[in-house]
Amino acid sequence: MESIIGREAEIKRLTAAVKSPRPEFIALYGRRRVGKTFLINEMFKKQYAFKMTGVIEGTLKDQFTAFADAMSDYNYDMPEKPKDWMQAFIMLKNALKPKATSGEQCIIFIDELPAMDAEGSNVAGAVGYFWNNWACLYDNIVFIICGSATSWMITNVIDSKGGLHDRITVEMPIHPFTLKETEAYLEEHRFQWNRQMTLQAYMVFGGIPYYLSLLDREESLVQNVDRLFFSQDTQMRREFRRLFNTLYKKPDKYIDIIKTLSKSRNGMTREELASALKCANNGHLGNKLEDLVYCDLIRKNIVREKEIKRKDAIYQLSDFFCQFYLTFIDRAELEQQYWAHHINTPQVNSWMGLTFERICMAHIQQIKQALRIDAISTLVYSWRSKSSTPAAQIDIVIERADNIVNICEVKYCQGEFALDKEEYNKICRRSNAFSSETGLRHTPWLTMITTEGLTHGKYSEMIQSQVKLDDLFAN
């Protein structure tokens, strides 16, 4: 078995499911390229009783051809090509029945299940029938379904109101790698990159294993970026559209949301998004936003005024590949060495600063560990002033049960950050505005999150706590 990087919790749950004394129905979902299929294949590929993969963007005929091919791979008899999914899953039941009744363990893996719902063929109904009327009766069956179209999986499987209602025994979202897991992946593949370079790679590719697999250790990061994004006809230039075509049957409105959020440093409320998109602020927009959250493409941050306001949440683009693509690739003319020519320019430095803030938001648990408050009950949110001009904003507020609130200021720098009087006063004004407008009686602790720490000086001594890049690499 090839080494599986990270995924310790997922491996533990899958291993327990296989050893379980009851039938197990496992649903995996997550954005394209995140490593769902790899995880299942590396754990079970030699144990499958049956495996098939739906054909992305395939017709219904293509799906049935793929089903027939999979049946042939496992030497199962099939009297005829199925005319619908109900017939197909009845054929699968009949093929698996001898193994199931003999007590032999049956691991069944249906990959890219949403793709199989081509032309509204109700594959979810057939899967529900297969499970409810046969598979759930055998303690030796482990039925695994997987899909990149996360919104389809949530609507038709996880939150199903039909035959699959409350049938899933293990729900398993697969998220991108953390910084630590990305570092482990690169070390496993013999990259000699320090943590600054690993951080910059994460800014471009996020923690997406497939994207990381395209890196060449004999090239610098700059050379890799130029080759993968700015060479003629490179696949990463086409990946953005493919990503959304895989996730959604009608991707254009989702892309519009992503593009709008990519232009906002501080994020946007639903009302602001509706105004920018020139659409109604109704359930259709809300559903699309939830779909994007489920896919780890955007983040929904609750906000605090006098009380916690969940309905006024701030949405931010959280997928680093999408942010990079829309900042540079979507707007740049094809230039073979664009990245080498533009590194350290104001535009790139501004993007790095923004992206580091978003990376910190994705590593809140590591930040809490560094502050030694991971055992304390906390509420993490964003805050935006409604009275100051321009509106003061704090991207990370950690409100603690011990009556302290960490006011976090994030600064990206390739060396130590020199905190001067002007910057310190800005932080204090934001903190004071926060306390005044929210009425929160917690003691504010000014917290700096930087890459290499603060240069020692008068103002650095006034900061109560610090978090450094190395802290973000914790497990």
Side-chain angles (χ1 to χ4, degrees):
M1 183 172 74
E2 186 177 339
S3 177
I4 300 175
I5 303 299
R7 312 300 190 206
E8 287 88 357
E10 290 85 353
I11 291 171
K12 184 177 180 180
R13 293 180 73 190
L14 289 168
T15 302
V18 170
K19 296 179 180 178
S20 169
R22 66 175 187 176
E24 296 285 352
F25 191 178
I26 303 170
L28 282 86
Y29 56 89
R31 59 101 80 202
R32 168 181 162 95
R33 309 295 202 187
V34 81
K36 304 179 296 298
T37 303
F38 175 82
L39 172 64
I40 300 300
N41 280 342
E42 289 306 306
M43 290 194 68
F44 304 126
K45 63 185 175 186
K46 295 181 180 178
Q47 304 173 52
Y48 291 142
F50 179 78
K51 173 186 181 287
M52 79 158 288
T53 301
V55 183
I56 300 295
E57 299 182 23
T59 64
L60 189 56
K61 181 180 178 181
D62 294 332
Q63 311 302 335
F64 289 143
T65 299
F67 177 82
D69 186 51
M71 292 286 281
S72 175
D73 285 343
Y74 289 89
N75 298 315
Y76 295 141
D77 291 332
M78 199 171 69
E80 60 180 321
K81 199 169 181 178
K83 296 174 183 175
D84 55 41
W85 283 122
M86 187 67 74
Q87 185 182 14
F89 276 92
I90 289 172
M91 290 179 183
L92 179 60
K93 176 197 74 172
N94 292 333
L96 293 172
K97 193 177 293 185
K99 288 185 178 180
T101 55
S102 72
E104 180 182 347
Q105 187 169 62
C106 291
I107 299 178
I108 307 158
F109 181 31
I110 308 294
D111 198 8
E112 293 300 351
L113 178 65
M116 295 161 59
D117 197 27
E119 301 165 31
S121 56
N122 193 25
V123 70
V127 167
Y129 182 84
F130 174 78
W131 175 259
N132 293 326
N133 290 275
W134 182 73
C136 71
L137 303 176
Y138 294 89
D139 294 342
N140 53 326
I141 284 184
V142 179
F143 186 27
I144 306 170
I145 59 174
C146 180
S148 297
T150 299
S151 60
W152 189 97
M153 292 287 289
I154 296 294
T155 301
N156 294 281
V157 178
I158 308 300
D159 293 338
S160 170
K161 295 178 174 59
L164 289 174
H165 175 69
D166 205 25
R167 295 299 189 266
I168 300 301
T169 60
V170 179
E171 178 185 346
M172 191 175 295
I174 304 297
H175 302 293
F177 281 164
T178 62
L179 279 169
K180 181 65 176 178
E181 290 165 337
T182 299
E183 180 180 57
Y185 180 94
L186 294 173
E187 288 177 350
E188 176 77 12
H189 292 82
R190 296 183 293 164
F191 282 77
Q192 302 296 317
W193 288 0
N194 62 23
R195 285 184 166 174
Q196 270 280 1
M197 193 170 292
T198 300
L199 172 65
Q200 291 180 17
Y202 199 87
M203 290 177 173
V204 177
F205 301 98
I208 306 302
Y210 176 76
Y211 299 163
L212 297 173
S213 74
L214 302 176
L215 294 169
D216 185 342
R217 67 175 179 270
E218 296 184 1
E219 296 179 338
S220 70
L221 177 58
V222 170
Q223 290 172 321
N224 271 289
V225 172
D226 273 330
R227 173 175 57 83
L228 291 172
F229 286 96
F230 297 103
S231 298
Q232 189 75 37
D233 295 326
T234 178
Q235 67 188 84
M236 291 301 285
R237 294 184 73 91
R238 301 188 294 272
E239 174 65 14
F240 181 81
R241 173 57 69 169
R242 288 176 176 173
L243 170 63
F244 285 89
N245 285 344
T246 300
L247 294 176
Y248 309 108
K249 288 187 176 180
K250 297 180 179 179
D252 289 344
K253 292 188 183 300
Y254 292 94
I255 291 175
D256 289 342
I257 294 172
I258 292 293
K259 286 185 174 182
T260 302
L261 287 176
S262 73
K263 300 170 186 176
S264 173
R265 184 179 188 92
N266 296 326
M268 304 173 75
T269 65
R270 247 177 75 164
E271 184 178 355
E272 290 168 341
L273 268 168
S275 176
L277 293 165
K278 295 181 173 56
C279 70
N281 183 10
N282 56 19
H284 293 295
L285 176 60
N287 289 339
K288 287 181 174 57
L289 291 171
E290 289 301 310
D291 288 346
L292 291 166
V293 170
Y294 278 129
C295 291
D296 287 317
L297 295 173
I298 68 174
R299 180 183 298 109
K300 180 181 181 180
N301 299 328
I302 60 173
V303 298
R304 174 183 270 289
E305 294 176 11
K306 293 291 184 182
E307 58 186 17
I308 293 297
K309 297 277 190 177
R310 296 182 186 274
K311 66 183 178 64
D312 292 332
I314 296 173
Y315 294 90
Q316 289 181 325
L317 178 56
S318 59
D319 185 87
F320 302 112
F321 160 75
C322 288
Q323 185 68 61
F324 179 81
Y325 179 91
L326 293 171
T327 303
F328 299 105
I329 314 303
D330 198 42
R331 305 176 189 176
E333 295 181 4
L334 188 64
E335 181 181 341
Q336 296 291 317
Q337 295 179 305
Y338 178 92
W339 201 237
H341 294 160
H342 290 79
I343 200 74
N344 294 325
T345 60
Q347 183 189 19
V348 171
N349 290 338
S350 176
W351 162 78
M352 286 184 170
L354 167 65
T355 308
F356 185 57
E357 291 176 11
R358 304 282 170 85
I359 289 173
C360 291
M361 283 295 297
H363 290 76
I364 292 296
Q365 187 58 37
Q366 287 79 4
I367 291 171
K368 289 173 60 177
Q369 286 178 226
L371 295 172
R372 299 182 181 179
I373 60 172
D374 48 314
I376 299 174
S377 177
T378 61
L379 190 63
V380 180
Y381 51 84
S382 298
W383 176 79
R384 183 191 295 182
S385 171
K386 288 197 171 182
S387 61
S388 64
T389 306
Q393 174 150 333
I394 303 172
D395 280 324
I396 304 176
V397 178
I398 306 176
E399 184 179 320
R400 298 157 43 175
D402 57 358
N403 292 320
I404 291 173
V405 59
N406 289 87
I407 305 296
C408 300
E409 182 73 14
V410 181
K411 294 293 182 184
Y412 175 77
C413 186
Q414 295 196 33
E416 291 183 339
F417 181 77
L419 183 63
D420 59 20
K421 179 179 179 180
E422 180 182 2
E423 192 62 45
Y424 175 75
N425 286 338
K426 286 181 182 178
I427 297 170
C428 289
R429 283 195 294 270
R430 293 188 194 112
S431 177
N432 292 337
F434 169 82
S435 297
S436 175
E437 292 185 34
T438 63
L440 192 67
R441 295 177 179 243
H442 289 46
T443 301
W445 277 43
L446 303 184
T447 303
M448 292 291 297
I449 305 175
T450 62
T451 48
E452 304 296 335
L454 298 176
T455 301
H456 182 71
K458 175 181 177 181
Y459 296 101
S460 66
E461 294 180 353
M462 298 181 184
I463 300 298
Q464 281 95 341
S465 53
Q466 293 187 47
V467 177
K468 300 179 184 179
L469 176 61
D470 284 347
D471 297 318
L472 301 183
F473 280 81
N475 287 321

